[in-house]
Amino acid sequence: MALPAPSQAQSPGTALLERSWRELDQQLRALDALIPPEPEPGANRSAGGLTPSQPLPEALLQPNRPATGALMRPAATPVPPLSLPTASSLQTGGVQSLSLEQALAIAFANSATLQAQRELVAAALAELQAQLGSYWPRISAFANGSSGQSSLYANAPVGNGRLGLGPQFSATGLLGANGQATAGAFYVPSGGSASLTTTTSGGTAGLQLDYALIDFARTPTVQAARARLQRERHSYANQLRLLQLQVSEAYYQLQQADQTVRIQDAAVRNDLLILRDALDLKQAGLVPRLDVLRRRAIEAANQETLIQALADRAVARRQLAVLLNLPPGLTPSAGDPITPMPRWPLNLEESLLGAYRGNPELEAILATREALARQRDATAAALLPRLSLFANGGVYGSNANSSNVSASNGGCCGSTVIPVQNSSGGEWSVGLSLQWLLFDAGSSAGQARALARREAATSQQYAAQRDAIRLRLEQAFFSHEASLAKLSAARRGVAAALEAFRDVTLRYRTGLSSELDLSNTQERLIASLVQRLNATVGVNISYARLLRELLPMPLDPQAPLTPQLNLPPGAAAQAAAGSPGPGRQDQPGTPPAGAPAPGPGQSRR
């Protein structure tokens, strides 16, 4: 309905104000024309009360349906890593609940990132075992065989009878059986020729031994491989800490999303009850139409918040499913009730000292630095002499067949032709080999300098990571203390707000309080419930972040994993006493489990 035109008695200021109202009214009407009409809220009343004016989206209700049961471990088996989900796999499964300990156990077993780190540890161990093999001799077998054919044609344009080399080279140097002169055995007449075809087959077989007696690059190379193994093991322990924090945060956030949906759903249901009372009171003439309109606006705003809470819970469930690497059709639901974690048992100083001792993040950087230092030594050792022992032995055999033998004009060249000849034998050799690179134009020295610079860079990375750990721990420590204090205040606020809401509801129904008082009290109650929820989740998340910095984790991927939601008493006692943490028990210089050692009496040069 348009506003009435201003009368002549109205002042200019009032006329301008009413003109602004009319312009605003036209703009609102234009916006209302773009929105499809909706049924009047509260028009349909059932025996159970009022229903929201707009139904909740089905696309949100489906992923927010309640859990059908507890999640069993076989159902959480991940799909193959190189597979993609199909339409049928996305529709199967359902919503199943699990506890935080179950979630951590499934994450430790299913996480693709953690499994990739396990493979890296295994690869580093295999590389170390390969480098340890350089302390042992290398024995290899060799064998070869061949077959071929050759044709020979020889021609002597000038003979050797005139050289005066004796009777064996003369045409009449010898006497035959009949007493007549005959040619010597090595006489070749001028123009004499001969030809033959020879087929030869043969083979050899034997053993070759190579052993580096003195190799100054061998030990640094092995030490570098051992340091890289330690780096991957500490990275694995750090990945365990990080994964536990990620799963804990996702689980607590899912609990928060569940509770937020419950709070907002209760608020909407309460709005519908108050709206029914407001309609009844308006029909009785006890409250103005303004109260009904305000309650409708509040109910619509709270329903909007409920819809967003449903979307947030669906996302939180999917985030936890991704961390657990569940099958695509399975959706997890939080089965644990929201209970605050206890107060952190250490003070700030003890927490910092405990976080630094044996921290896998820092140990991984130290192992990287050690690997670079040893690799630099191995590179520099390329300029030093290398003494090796070699030995080999074998047998050989051959067969030669000559055919198509012919001679003309008295023959040629005095060669002896054997139609079939077999030969065999054996040979061996032992010796020392010395290699010494005298000049490489500074290549080795340049590579060593580059590795030294990278080693210096890791020192700075260590300092940066040390400061980052302190910042993370202090943030978590202060947030934990603040969340505990806020939780205590929030509990008092919820108790007072709930009692106030009960009183104002009764007063509103009897006409002693206005709808505005009721709305403010309801809003305060909802805010108090949300504050208590946020404080509880803040206590748990900050505790999990503190636990991430001090929780002992195994370095061996084959070691059993037991989820721990609280700081173990032993770790707390070590941090308070200042004793070294578990991360220092396996130094980079110690040989890894399952890795072969150098042979007895072998030098580590």
Side-chain angles (χ1 to χ4, degrees), residues 252 339-344 476 479-488 533-546:
Y252 293 143
T339 55
M341 297 296 293
R343 182 179 294 275
W344 184 249
S479 297
H480 186 68
E481 293 294 326
S483 297
L484 287 172
K486 289 191 296 184
L487 178 59
S488 177
L533 173 62
N534 293 340
T536 304
V537 174
V539 169
N540 294 345
I541 289 181
S542 58
Y543 190 96
R545 290 175 178 174
L546 288 170

Side-chain angles (χ1 to χ4, degrees), residues 504-523:
V504 76
T505 301
L506 294 176
R507 292 174 61 85
Y508 176 73
R509 290 175 178 174
T510 57
L512 298 178
S513 293
S514 65
E515 194 277 336
L516 186 60
D517 294 337
L518 180 61
S519 300
N520 293 337
T521 307
Q522 179 188 4
E523 181 180 357

Side-chain angles (χ1 to χ4, degrees), residues 41-42 45 50-51 270-280 291-296 299:
R45 302 178 60 181
L50 297 175
T51 59
N270 187 72
D271 289 337
L272 295 176
L273 295 176
I274 296 178
L275 180 58
R276 183 188 61 184
D277 293 341
L279 288 172
D280 293 340
D291 286 7
V292 177
L293 296 177
R294 184 182 291 113
R295 292 315 306 178
R296 287 177 177 174
E299 184 272 333

Side-chain angles (χ1 to χ4, degrees), residues 287-589:
V287 297
R289 178 171 175 266
L290 178 61
D291 286 7
V292 177
L293 296 177
R294 184 182 291 113
R295 292 315 306 178
R296 287 177 177 174
I298 293 174
E299 184 272 333
N302 287 337
Q303 188 183 17
E304 178 184 354
T305 306
L306 173 61
I307 292 174
Q308 184 60 47
L310 290 173
D312 294 340
R313 182 168 68 176
V315 173
R317 286 180 172 182
R318 183 46 46 195
Q319 288 176 341
L320 182 59
V322 170
L323 286 174
L324 303 186
N325 194 19
L326 296 177
L330 187 60
T331 301
S333 175
D336 290 343
I338 300 181
T339 55
M341 297 296 293
R343 182 179 294 275
W344 184 249
L346 304 176
N347 58 33
L348 181 57
E349 180 182 353
E350 294 171 346
S351 301
L352 286 173
L353 294 178
Y356 286 148
R357 293 188 184 94
N359 189 292
E361 274 187 288
L362 299 179
E363 294 294 330
I365 296 177
L366 291 178
T368 302
R369 182 173 179 271
E370 177 71 13
L372 290 172
R374 301 288 75 80
Q375 187 177 353
R376 180 195 58 184
D377 295 341
T379 302
L383 298 174
L384 299 176
R386 182 175 184 269
L387 182 63
S388 302
L389 170 69
F390 67 89
N392 60 70
V395 296
Y396 65 89
S398 64
N399 171 265
N401 294 322
S402 299
S403 60
N404 300 326
V405 180
S406 64
S408 60
N409 300 326
C412 173
C413 307
S415 60
T416 299
V417 177
I418 303 176
V420 179
Q421 181 179 1
N422 295 325
S423 61
S424 61
E427 59 183 6
W428 61 271
S429 63
V430 176
L432 295 175
S433 173
L434 176 66
Q435 295 179 350
W436 196 343
L437 181 62
L438 300 179
F439 178 74
D440 66 349
S443 298
S444 300
Q447 294 176 3
R449 289 196 303 270
L451 292 171
R453 292 296 185 181
R454 292 180 182 178
E455 180 184 354
T458 57
S459 300
Q460 299 302 322
Q461 293 173 2
Y462 184 91
Q465 194 61 40
R466 177 196 60 206
D467 296 339
I469 290 174
R470 176 173 182 176
L471 178 60
R472 289 201 311 255
L473 192 142
E474 288 182 338
Q475 287 177 337
F477 185 86
F478 296 143
S479 297
H480 186 68
E481 293 294 326
S483 297
L484 287 172
K486 289 191 296 184
L487 178 59
S488 177
R491 286 171 174 171
R492 297 194 307 269
V494 168
L498 183 60
E499 190 67 24
F501 181 73
R502 291 172 180 169
D503 291 347
V504 76
T505 301
L506 294 176
R507 292 174 61 85
Y508 176 73
R509 290 175 178 174
T510 57
L512 298 178
S513 293
S514 65
E515 194 277 336
L516 186 60
D517 294 337
L518 180 61
S519 300
N520 293 337
T521 307
Q522 179 188 4
E523 181 180 357
R524 182 65 262 170
L525 175 59
I526 295 175
S528 299
L529 292 173
V530 172
Q531 288 174 352
R532 184 182 64 178
L533 173 62
N534 293 340
T536 304
V537 174
V539 169
N540 294 345
I541 289 181
S542 58
Y543 190 96
R545 290 175 178 174
L546 288 170
L547 194 64
R548 179 252 190 279
E549 306 299 337
L550 284 89
L551 184 62
M553 286 295 182
L555 301 180
D556 186 4
Q558 303 301 326
L561 290 172
T562 302
Q564 297 180 0
L565 304 182
N566 296 279
L567 185 66
Q574 287 180 351
S579 59
R584 286 290 185 179
Q585 294 177 1
D586 196 357
Q587 294 295 333

Side-chain angles (χ1 to χ4, degrees), residues 159-175 181-189:
N160 58 1
R162 300 178 182 178
L163 298 179
L165 299 177
Q168 295 291 346
F169 296 88
S170 174
T172 58
L174 299 177
L175 293 177
T182 183
F186 301 105
Y187 170 72
V188 177

